[in-house]
Amino acid sequence: MTQTIFRNDISPELDAFPHLQEIGVIKNTTIRLNSFVKECCDGIGLRLVTEGKFDWLIDDKLYTVYPGDLVLLLPGQTIAGDNDILNIGSFYTIKVTVQEQCRVILGKWSMLSHKEKLSVNQILTHNRHTPVISLKEAQPLIQSLLNELKNEEVGRQSMINHLLDQLFIYTCRQLVRQSNLRRDFPQTFFNLEQILRKDLAHQWTVEEMAALSGMGTTVFTEKVKSFSGFSPINYLINIRVSEAIKMLKRGEANVTTIAHATGFYSSQHFATTFKKLTGYTPSEYRKNNLFK
Amino acid sequence: MMNCIITIELGTNAVRVFAFDFQGKVIGFQKGTYPTFHDEPDHSEQDPEQMFITMLYVLKKLLNEVVYPKKYGVSCICFSSSMHSLLAVDEDGVPLGNAITWADNRGKKEAASLKGTALGDAIYQATGTPIHPMSPLVKIAWMRSHDPEKFNQTRKFLSIKSYVVQQLTGSCIIDHSIASATGLMNIHTLSWDASALEFAGISADKLPDLVPVNYSDIRLKREYQKSLRLLDSVKILIGSSDGCLATLGAGVWEQGRATITIEDSGAFRVIGDNIIEDPAQRLFNYRLTDRLIVSGGPTNNGGVIFEWFANQFGESVMNFDLDKTIRDLVREASTTNAGSDGLLFLPYLLGERAPIWNANARGCYFGLHIRHERKHIIRATIEGVLFEMLSIGKTLETYREISSLSINGSFASIPFCTQMIADMFNRPVNTLSHGDSIGVGAFVLSATELGIFPDLEQASKVVQMHETFSPDPKAHQVYKQYFEIFESLIAKLGDEFDQLAMLQGK
């Protein structure tokens, strides 16, 4: 195995880039036992295959990846060679640290706006079960990154961070495109709705919802309105209130807990929204809607 | 101040609320969608609370943004809903999980074991509902054997409409139309049927109280009156089912007239005074009023099939627009001949109900030749969907004479499709001036109840015929020949469908 790898703990080239744990090329020419045992990713890991064919277990699920395939690993995901063996071939590898372990937020180095970073987090997190994508932009970007690192020209720091941003942007765009085969809006909307339901407590913004659906906010809002009859936020309120009603009727939690679990920022906000819609306060509602 | 009638339609994908003036003109409209969950193959469920909240939200919006600003007061609110839904609620009236929709097939085995038995025949004769997984009768039987805990916990088995009305008014009731699609109500005596109850394993007190479609002895709870700014005197009309009201809303139903509805799914229906007793059990009979019966056959494979086709094979563009793609495809289809130069399509992508009642039926293009082009495949797809409607129509024609047709629904109303229906049936076809026949049907029912019209017949005259499509005899001759092959193909395929469906289900 030959490798040309910059690593943060040993390569002075990466001094200005504390977020870049490693970047480089690995070329494997022989098959050896235990050459690739399970490792756990502690940042965002990217692997772009350029030659050969690799059998990798990602979160214990087998994927066969070919040249042009980009493997994307989030914090906590594991990767290993099938039978602990690294196949013959070569691939680029990049590891980037993130600020927190539970959310995939790019650090201060990134020039993305805060909202964009949140969207990147949403998209990466919700696609963690599709770790292999095909991204034609990846190879030229990574090659430019390596060139920039080696050639110490003016503007190097900005260029490298900029290229990294681009890599993440293209990755996210491809993930969204893949999951919403843009044609079927009802299906896209249904997928989004499933994501919202899984995390109702999150303070969803229209920008985040639009990004997950692979659209700009204006087009997204228009499409949601014409399809569902509601603005995205009002549709979300519908789901929140419906879920709250279920919890109220089961009588399993107090109003404040229900408010927070369903994404209202206070019990006051919950009560006002609830009463405006149903005519009842949350506690009256439970009493008045059961069989007598 | 002027008065208006509000109709609330709890449909398969969305709630649609209309406001009509007393002459039947639409003052305003709002809709709101809710999702259908398919957590397991064959399952199709909806969240009753979300349906209720969406309905409330949409109603409120229509009142506040259109009805009140236009200085209208509300005289009557009338409900309709899709048929065959089942919602189990506990001792307190709290839903035990989601509502199961008409499209749910989990009771396939239960239905198959009942169909064709003496008991099954007797239940069909008594209830008018074909023995099929869609029917709440079969769904309850399924729950009894597969989810006994939930079955035992259930205080009432409701329809989604019963639940919504119960939330709004506190009354636990079901109208004769919706009840006659449960497979549990005797359509001759208008009471719950003993043998059906026995098969389901429940007693009549597990079901809501039966009321006629013009029942209005209910009131909105005070809180809803207040939050919706409605008077206590507003008449709350329980109403009927989407199928019955779409037929009523299609206008005249003198002898010899039938209605074709094709949205995502479709149906061929007639209204009459008598129940059609089809020994092969291919047709339904649903109660509209104590005098009138809506008979017909439903298909799973309506516009949804062409939408599937457009999604898969429409020209690929960055910003895919389904409506535009469908228009383009229809235009392309129109450049080839009736009969698609010998290409046939069986549209059974979703299994089929009438007339073959086979959940395992699957789609098929038959007769492909090297000279066939894209346009032939597009046209054959549309023709297949409409041949299926013709097949249901022919079944019905063995019992009723049909001299003219009216059509509604977004797919049937595409002029190219309307003309094709006229040519296939060799009958004149009328389109209607109103877009939504279910809403109009609910208006006709309400306006009659309010005494604005002396009876349903008079009230239904508000429905205007928009345009008449006359059949082209030459095209009819072509379709006639191909339809014979279409029918004999269906008769031949059977075991193959079952075998294939089994492999697909693995």
Side-chain angles (χ1 to χ4, degrees):
Chain A
M1 185 166 77
T2 57
Q3 53 182 36
T4 328
I5 288 216
F6 300 102
R7 277 180 42 198
N8 212 290
D9 45 354
I10 49 170
S11 314
E13 289 89 344
L14 290 181
D15 281 352
F17 308 97
H19 50 284
L20 253 180
Q21 280 175 11
E22 66 167 51
I23 176 166
V25 188
I26 292 176
K27 191 177 171 75
N28 187 35
T29 47
T30 52
I31 298 234
R32 278 178 298 123
L33 284 179
N34 297 324
S35 50
F36 191 10
V37 294
K38 193 191 256 190
E39 55 187 68
C40 183
C41 193
D42 58 353
I44 307 174
L46 296 168
R47 286 164 179 240
L48 177 73
V49 177
T50 52
E51 279 176 67
K53 168 187 127 178
F54 294 91
D55 289 325
W56 282 338
L57 291 162
I58 301 166
D59 277 348
D60 299 319
K61 205 176 147 202
L62 181 66
Y63 296 86
T64 302
V65 285
Y66 299 94
D69 285 346
L70 180 71
V71 173
L72 180 71
L73 299 166
L74 299 187
Q77 286 193 293
T78 60
I79 182 166
D82 192 23
N83 298 320
D84 296 338
I85 286 167
L86 185 64
N87 308 88
I88 291 173
S90 53
F91 58 91
Y92 290 106
T93 170
I94 301 179
K95 272 187 200 160
V96 179
T97 52
V98 286
Q99 284 186 319
E100 310 160 29
Q101 281 297 306
C102 52
R103 290 200 305 170
V104 193
I105 301 287
L106 301 179
K108 287 206 183 67
W109 59 269
S110 165
M111 277 161 280
L112 298 181
S113 71
H114 180 62
K115 275 185 177 171
E116 287 171 333
K117 284 182 187 170
L118 287 179
S119 292
V120 167
N121 166 52
Q122 289 292 354
I123 293 166
L124 293 180
T125 315
H126 285 293
N127 287 287
R128 65 186 297 140
H129 302 297
T130 42
V132 182
I133 60 173
S134 160
L135 186 69
K136 63 178 189 310
E137 290 89 349
Q139 175 143 16
L141 279 174
I142 297 174
Q143 195 50 55
S144 307
L145 266 169
L146 287 168
N147 293 342
E148 285 289 336
L149 271 176
K150 286 176 209 156
N151 310 330
E152 303 203 4
E153 290 181 278
V154 64
R156 173 174 176 269
Q157 187 174 353
S158 297
M159 280 298 278
I160 286 175
N161 286 337
H162 187 65
L163 286 165
L164 270 179
D165 270 343
Q166 277 195 48
L167 189 56
F168 282 110
I169 291 168
Y170 283 121
T171 304
C172 286
R173 287 183 182 177
Q174 182 60 25
L175 281 170
V176 169
R177 251 178 242 142
Q178 233 166 268
S179 59
N180 308 310
L181 293 163
R182 297 183 72 110
R183 5 198 56 199
D184 190 355
F185 185 74
Q187 189 57 46
T188 301
F189 188 67
F190 183 75
N191 293 345
L192 172 67
E193 162 149 355
Q194 297 289 78
I195 294 172
L196 299 180
R197 276 172 192 279
K198 271 187 207 139
D199 191 8
L200 268 188
H202 177 71
Q203 295 301 312
W204 293 97
T205 64
V206 181
E207 285 83 0
E208 276 174 296
M209 293 191 248
L212 279 169
S213 312
M215 290 169 215
T217 45
T218 318
V219 174
F220 172 72
T221 305
E222 216 174 277
K223 285 211 167 194
V224 172
K225 268 192 187 156
S226 86
F227 173 73
S228 79
F230 294 100
S231 73
I233 290 295
N234 281 342
Y235 191 86
L236 179 62
I237 290 176
N238 265 358
I239 305 180
R240 287 189 164 143
V241 173
S242 319
E243 288 305 313
I245 287 178
K246 278 188 237 174
M247 295 175 79
L248 280 168
K249 285 190 172 175
R250 287 195 298 257
E252 64 190 21
N254 69 37
V255 171
T256 314
T257 315
I258 295 176
H260 288 298
T262 52
F264 293 94
Y265 44 81
S266 68
S267 50
Q268 190 54 42
H269 176 222
F270 173 47
T272 322
T273 312
F274 197 90
K275 174 131 193 179
K276 215 172 112 193
L277 190 54
T278 66
Y280 290 97
T281 65
S283 43
E284 281 168 1
Y285 191 87
R286 177 167 203 279
K287 274 188 292 202
N288 282 285
N289 283 280
L290 302 178
F291 281 169
K292 281 164 212 99
Chain B
M1 188 152 93
M2 296 164 292
N3 283 312
C4 74
I5 290 168
I6 303 280
T7 67
I8 297 177
E9 173 199 337
L10 297 154
T12 304
N13 308 310
V15 53
R16 292 180 178 80
V17 183
F18 285 89
F20 290 93
D21 70 13
F22 279 9
Q23 282 71 51
K25 199 173 118 272
V26 174
I27 306 164
F29 163 72
Q30 287 280 344
K31 74 155 186 183
T33 58
Y34 29 74
T36 305
F37 305 107
H38 304 279
D39 290 348
E40 285 175 51
D42 283 337
H43 284 209
S44 172
E45 300 187 349
Q46 289 179 323
D47 176 355
E49 303 299 1
Q50 191 174 357
M51 291 174 89
F52 178 70
I53 282 301
T54 304
M55 184 279 300
L56 206 57
Y57 207 136
V58 169
L59 173 61
K60 195 166 180 169
K61 203 166 157 200
L62 182 71
L63 291 174
N64 288 336
E65 290 178 10
V66 182
V67 174
Y68 297 148
K70 286 192 178 171
K71 306 272 183 251
Y72 277 93
V74 177
S75 296
C76 176
I77 298 178
C78 178
F79 290 89
S80 81
S81 77
S82 40
M83 296 181 279
H84 314 301
S85 65
L86 180 75
L87 175 66
V89 300
D90 72 7
E91 204 57 49
D92 293 326
V94 177
L96 295 161
N98 286 328
I100 305 174
T101 78
W102 63 269
D104 194 286
N105 274 323
R106 72 186 68 184
K108 271 196 296 207
K109 281 199 187 119
E110 285 72 15
S113 73
L114 178 60
K115 200 173 170 175
T117 64
L119 178 63
D121 293 352
I123 290 179
Y124 170 72
Q125 298 297 341
T127 66
T129 311
I131 307 293
H132 184 268
M134 69 184 181
S135 114
L137 162 80
V138 173
K139 289 167 178 156
I140 296 173
W142 180 91
M143 197 190 292
R144 185 164 65 138
S145 51
H146 291 82
D147 197 347
E149 196 187 337
K150 185 163 157 186
F151 179 84
N152 291 326
Q153 251 182 295
T154 303
R155 169 71 188 88
K156 292 268 187 197
F157 292 98
L158 304 178
S159 75
I160 192 66
K161 194 215 263 182
S162 300
Y163 181 68
V164 166
V165 170
Q166 192 266 328
Q167 294 291 291
L168 286 173
T169 68
S171 297
C172 189
I173 51 179
I174 186 167
D175 60 86
H176 287 155
S177 292
I178 294 283
S180 65
T182 59
L184 291 154
M185 188 190 79
N186 187 309
I187 40 168
H188 309 269
T189 63
L190 299 178
S191 58
W192 297 118
D193 183 75
S195 52
L197 290 176
E198 199 189 321
F199 177 77
I202 58 171
S203 53
D205 70 345
K206 294 266 179 187
L207 296 167
D209 296 335
L210 288 162
V211 295
V213 295
N214 60 354
Y215 182 82
S216 61
D217 201 8
I218 39 179
R219 280 182 180 170
L220 285 185
K221 290 180 185 169
R222 215 156 31 90
E223 286 75 5
Y224 293 119
Q225 290 177 9
K226 243 171 39 192
S227 75
L228 297 167
R229 292 192 280 151
L230 291 167
L231 298 175
D232 188 42
S233 58
V234 176
K235 196 189 237 327
I236 307 295
L237 200 59
I238 181 82
S240 172
S241 65
D242 55 359
C244 288
L245 288 174
T247 319
L248 186 61
V252 252
W253 65 81
E254 71 261 22
Q255 208 62 33
R257 197 173 185 87
T259 303
I260 290 175
T261 307
I262 314 178
E263 291 276 354
D264 283 356
S265 56
F268 189 103
R269 303 185 183 95
V270 292
I271 296 189
D273 299 335
N274 304 316
I275 293 165
I276 295 178
E277 295 196 359
D278 177 35
Q281 306 186 10
R282 293 165 298 182
L283 303 170
F284 60 68
N285 292 282
Y286 298 139
R287 276 272 165 199
L288 176 55
T289 65
D290 34 352
R291 187 170 72 81
L292 297 171
I293 304 265
V294 173
S295 308
T299 166
N300 293 347
N301 303 293
V304 65
I305 300 306
F306 200 56
E307 253 178 51
W308 163 82
F309 186 89
N311 274 321
Q312 304 305 320
F313 308 113
E315 293 290 356
S316 173
V317 279
M318 247 327 237
N319 278 309
F320 182 80
D321 176 342
L322 183 65
D323 293 334
K324 184 183 175 299
T325 308
I326 286 183
R327 280 198 302 277
D328 291 346
L329 289 174
V330 167
R331 194 172 305 123
E332 202 175 336
S334 69
T335 61
T336 184
N337 303 316
S340 307
D341 293 337
L343 180 60
L344 288 170
F345 173 60
L346 305 186
Y348 306 137
L349 273 65
L350 292 168
E352 186 54 302
R353 291 187 283 166
I356 59 169
W357 296 93
N358 182 356
N360 289 336
R362 291 293 181 267
C364 168
Y365 287 93
F366 183 79
L368 271 169
H369 186 275
I370 196 83
R371 281 198 303 269
H372 279 134
E373 297 167 33
R374 190 184 137 89
K375 61 186 179 187
H376 295 103
I377 301 180
I378 303 169
R379 185 172 182 124
T381 308
I382 300 174
E383 289 178 347
V385 169
L386 299 181
F387 271 146
E388 183 61 11
M389 200 43 88
L390 180 60
S391 177
I392 304 174
K394 292 270 176 208
T395 310
L396 218 74
E397 260 186 324
T398 56
Y399 300 97
R400 294 276 168 85
E401 198 189 318
I402 292 159
S403 51
S404 68
L405 298 160
S406 50
I407 55 113
N408 52 42
S410 54
F411 188 71
S413 316
I414 299 172
F416 180 70
C417 298
T418 313
Q419 182 60 51
M420 203 181 267
I421 294 171
D423 297 344
M424 285 183 177
F425 282 85
N426 203 22
R427 303 269 189 282
V429 175
N430 295 301
T431 60
L432 307 171
S433 51
H434 275 292
D436 189 290
S437 295
I438 301 170
V440 176
F443 164 80
V444 166
L445 192 66
S446 308
T448 308
E449 275 315 298
L450 289 175
I452 302 168
F453 299 97
D455 52 35
L456 291 175
E457 279 86 344
Q458 292 297 316
S460 67
K461 297 220 163 98
V462 301
V463 181
Q464 309 257 309
M465 296 303 147
H466 182 58
E467 208 181 332
T468 304
F469 288 72
S470 305
D472 168 3
K474 262 193 276 170
H476 176 68
Q477 279 314 313
V478 176
Y479 286 133
K480 205 177 150 193
Q481 292 168 24
Y482 286 125
F483 183 66
E484 277 174 29
I485 304 174
F486 181 90
E487 290 237 288
S488 74
L489 265 181
I490 297 168
K492 284 191 179 134
L493 295 171
D495 294 351
E496 292 81 1
F497 282 149
D498 295 337
Q499 287 164 13
L500 201 62
M502 207 172 76
L503 290 176
Q504 289 177 347
K506 269 186 187 164

